[in-house]
Amino acid sequence: MSNTCKWISFGVVSLGVVVILVFLYHLSQENNSKCPNEGELMQNDTRECFKRETKGPCFNNLVFVEDKPRSPYGACSCPYMEFNRTIIYYEGQCYFVFSQAYCNEGYWLNVTTHGEPVCELNPCSQQVTQELEAVGVEWVQIKDGRCVQLGKWAEGCPEGSTVRFSRNYVRPSCFQPVTLGQTIGAISAPSIRKCPAGSYLAISGKCQPTMEFDFDY
Ligand SMILES: *[C@@H]1O[C@H](CO)[C@@H](O)[C@H](O)[C@H]1NC(C)=O
Ligand SMILES: *[C@@H]1O[C@H](CO)[C@@H](O)[C@H](O)[C@H]1NC(C)=O
Ligand SMILES: *[C@@H]1O[C@H](CO)[C@@H](O)[C@H](O)[C@H]1NC(C)=O
């Protein structure tokens, strides 16, 4: 065989390998998605497809997301990744921590370090009734035990910072304000980011972070 011939057959073989790899890759992608449209997940029992991160077939304020990382099947979950504020699943609904939720008047929802929901006396409920009840004003407790307004500057906070929730901590604290997409509002809009790997285990609302709940801020 001449040198040119060798190079040509080498080229043909390489090209063949590339084509086969591309084909196999496509095949594997194809097998993974069960739904005709991109961004959709299948509900296993009904074989119906719904756009991921939307309400889909879910009740109340749950959203439809992958039941496992990279799964083509969906399951209903709380929008854990959409908010920095800890979200607690209880009997088919998602609630923000330190909201009254399903608790009695004067109580609010907390979470144990193991992630179980508990109703406890709301230490800030006095504040609410003392002040004129302004719509959208929410009182939360910061580390030193004081009740302060969420989303506002509080005494002792660095200048320009506001009391906000941070991912990774249950309790709110002083943080520099964010300029984009402030999310202090209610749980409603179902548009959430992908759950990080390892955070899918859950009570029924899937996608619960597996970490312990950290209060030490
Ligand atoms: C789908 O449902 C069938 C039974 O209805 C079950 O055997 C199977 O494991 C389910 N698959 C997934 C991916 O949930
Ligand atoms: C909520 O529960 C945690 C863990 O039991 C506790 O440390 C904390 O004081 C409770 N209340 C608030 C407002 O963080
Ligand atoms: C959410 O938490 C992250 C990290 O803790 C922080 O950088 C970000 O500003 C927070 N976002 C909001 C809207 O508070």
Side-chain angles (χ1 to χ4, degrees):
M1 250 202 293
S2 76
N3 244 359
T4 322
C5 237
K6 269 188 202 156
W7 279 111
I8 289 173
S9 30
F10 174 74
V12 167
V13 168
S14 316
L15 198 67
V17 167
V18 167
V19 166
I20 287 168
L21 284 179
V22 166
F23 176 73
L24 286 178
Y25 175 77
H26 271 273
L27 209 62
S28 70
Q29 292 299 98
E30 213 103 307
N31 276 351
N32 193 38
S33 79
K34 305 275 178 210
C35 292
N37 302 313
E38 212 181 313
E40 286 184 339
L41 297 169
M42 182 175 275
Q43 193 180 25
N44 188 16
D45 44 357
T46 64
R47 320 305 289 175
E48 273 185 277
C49 290
F50 301 96
K51 210 163 153 42
R52 71 183 290 276
E53 299 175 358
T54 63
K55 184 170 171 57
C58 306
F59 288 113
N60 302 325
N61 52 12
L62 303 191
V63 292
F64 200 57
V65 292
E66 283 91 345
D67 65 348
K68 293 193 287 273
R70 281 185 298 280
S71 170
Y73 294 103
C76 293
S77 165
C78 286
Y80 296 110
M81 302 319 290
E82 191 185 348
F83 300 97
N84 274 0
R85 186 169 182 173
T86 300
I87 292 176
I88 296 159
Y89 174 83
Y90 184 77
E91 297 193 347
Q93 288 255 29
C94 309
Y95 301 97
F96 275 138
V97 72
F98 309 133
S99 66
Q100 190 186 331
Y102 55 86
C103 304
N104 291 334
E105 188 79 37
Y107 285 73
W108 70 9
L109 193 61
N110 195 355
V111 64
T112 68
T113 49
H114 301 296
E116 281 125 32
V118 282
C119 287
E120 61 175 32
L121 262 176
N122 179 349
C124 303
S125 60
Q126 278 314 98
Q127 238 88 2
V128 181
T129 41
Q130 274 167 20
E131 312 277 326
L132 289 174
E133 268 191 59
V135 180
V137 171
E138 200 178 345
W139 293 87
V140 287
Q141 198 177 32
I142 52 175
K143 201 182 178 181
D144 65 11
R146 279 183 303 143
C147 289
V148 298
Q149 275 186 42
L150 189 59
K152 297 268 161 65
W153 178 82
E155 224 177 291
C157 282
E159 188 152 343
S161 67
T162 56
V163 174
R164 288 190 293 116
F165 287 96
S166 160
R167 198 151 291 265
N168 308 330
Y169 296 102
V170 179
R171 243 195 289 255
S173 198
C174 309
F175 293 103
Q176 295 306 314
V178 273
T179 41
L180 273 175
Q182 209 136 358
T183 51
I184 290 169
I187 309 173
S188 59
S191 81
I192 70 166
R193 274 167 264 145
K194 236 187 166 70
C195 294
S199 70
Y200 282 76
L201 210 147
I203 331 165
S204 134
K206 303 272 164 57
C207 220
Q208 172 90 307
T210 49
M211 54 163 191
E212 300 253 293
F213 285 83
D214 191 352
F215 288 89
D216 301 333
Y217 197 85

